[in-house]
Amino acid sequence: MDGVVGALVLTLIAGASTGIGGAVILFKKKLSSNFLAAALGLSAGVMIFISLAELYPEAQAAITATGIRNGKAFVLLCFFAGMGIITLIDFLIPEYENPHEASGLTLDADTPATKKLSEEGGSAEKALKKLGIMSALAIAIHNFPEGMATFIGALNDPQTGGGIAFAIAIHNIPEGIAVAIPIYYATKSKGKALLYATLSGLSEPAGAAICYAITSLAGVDLAGGAAFPLILAAVAGIMIYISLDELLPTAEKYGRHHTAISGIVGGMAIMGASLLIL
């Protein structure tokens, strides 16, 4: 049970980091674009390294140990199934309201999304508030599988779970900004902006709790058994997709190309070194 509590705590920390992004408006409304690019690149580097150097190889080894016929093929299918889950979520969310799209993550109030919403009718303030609320809902939907990924990784190995939580926490900060900025400009309330940003991240521990409840009722062992390597492979697929489709394009948008690449290399180096030390 201690392992479950620890995994839930890590997931809560990762999800609550959207509140850090929301807190930016308490001090300033602008951040260095290069800083955001490096941070997003760092997060992508950590996720990619963990997925390909830890989670996927471990899933292959675990499925082999079970003796299941064609087990490695099932692991491969689950890896791409994880990508499919996030692809479906992105498909269901309108592009201009999706904070994971390059046009959605911004530190400015005037964006293509707000212009689009204004054209549909209503004042600029209403358009901004709608954008903030829709961004919060979109992030909450995205954070469900991310919360499951953090929880499952931490339940299997606290070190791996810590790395996943670290990467997701970093990439949740700009998402908190994407929620807080339009809410602040619409309501002129820093408290409301911070509240919406923080609430958008709480679906992450909620996703972890729901994952644990469902698998417990179904008798699925998240820390072992035949289902574990398949879930682990899906988690790896989810994180690779998030890195390639969301983090890297946004990092490129914010800063110079080499700034984003430096962040990626730095994230991989941090995780590689932690595996050697710990």
Side-chain angles (χ1 to χ4, degrees):
M1 190 65 184
D2 289 341
V4 173
V5 173
L8 286 173
V9 169
L10 275 177
T11 307
L12 176 61
I13 292 172
S17 63
T18 55
I20 297 175
V24 167
I25 63 167
L26 300 178
F27 306 100
K28 55 167 64 174
K29 298 175 191 134
K30 295 285 184 182
L31 279 179
S32 166
S33 294
N34 282 335
F35 170 79
L36 284 173
L40 290 167
L42 182 76
S43 177
V46 171
M47 285 191 178
I48 292 171
F49 190 92
I50 287 178
S51 297
L52 297 182
E54 282 278 294
L55 301 185
Y56 189 80
E58 185 173 343
Q60 290 280 28
I63 201 72
T64 300
T66 64
I68 295 177
R69 187 178 179 183
N70 298 322
K72 289 187 176 182
F74 289 129
V75 166
L76 182 62
L77 287 174
C78 286
F79 175 78
F80 287 106
M83 294 185 178
I85 291 170
I86 301 297
T87 302
L88 179 61
I89 291 174
D90 274 339
F91 178 77
L92 294 175
I93 298 173
E95 182 176 345
Y96 69 88
E97 292 174 347
N98 189 347
H100 286 80
E101 300 296 335
S103 62
L105 284 172
T106 179
L107 295 173
D108 300 317
D110 190 18
T111 68
T114 55
K115 291 177 182 177
K116 174 76 174 177
L117 292 171
S118 294
E119 291 170 0
E120 294 176 359
S123 65
E125 287 76 14
K126 287 183 178 179
L128 283 167
K129 188 172 182 179
K130 181 178 179 181
L131 175 62
I133 293 173
M134 290 303 297
S135 294
L137 290 174
I139 289 170
I141 293 170
H142 268 270
N143 281 354
F144 260 89
E146 291 175 10
M148 294 177 184
T150 305
F151 177 74
I152 293 168
L155 198 61
N156 171 61
D157 181 1
Q159 179 186 343
T160 299
I164 296 172
F166 171 70
I168 290 178
I170 292 173
H171 109 270
N172 276 351
I173 292 174
E175 292 183 354
I177 295 172
V179 174
I181 291 297
I183 292 294
Y184 171 70
Y185 278 106
T187 65
K188 301 299 186 291
S189 170
K190 293 182 177 180
K192 287 183 179 179
L194 180 59
L195 176 63
Y196 275 89
T198 302
L199 289 177
S200 69
L202 293 184
S203 66
E204 206 148 294
I210 291 172
C211 174
Y212 177 67
I214 292 175
T215 52
S216 295
L217 290 173
V220 176
D221 185 4
L222 288 176
F228 170 72
L230 302 180
I231 296 173
L232 209 60
V235 167
I238 288 172
M239 294 202 299
I240 290 291
Y241 184 92
I242 290 171
S243 300
L244 299 180
D245 183 66
E246 300 167 8
L247 301 183
L248 297 184
T250 309
E252 287 279 349
K253 170 181 176 286
Y254 276 132
R256 297 182 181 89
H257 172 76
H258 289 294
T259 302
I261 294 299
S262 296
I264 295 170
V265 174
M268 290 183 173
I270 290 172
M271 287 313 302
S274 71
L275 295 177
L276 294 175
I277 296 171
L278 300 177

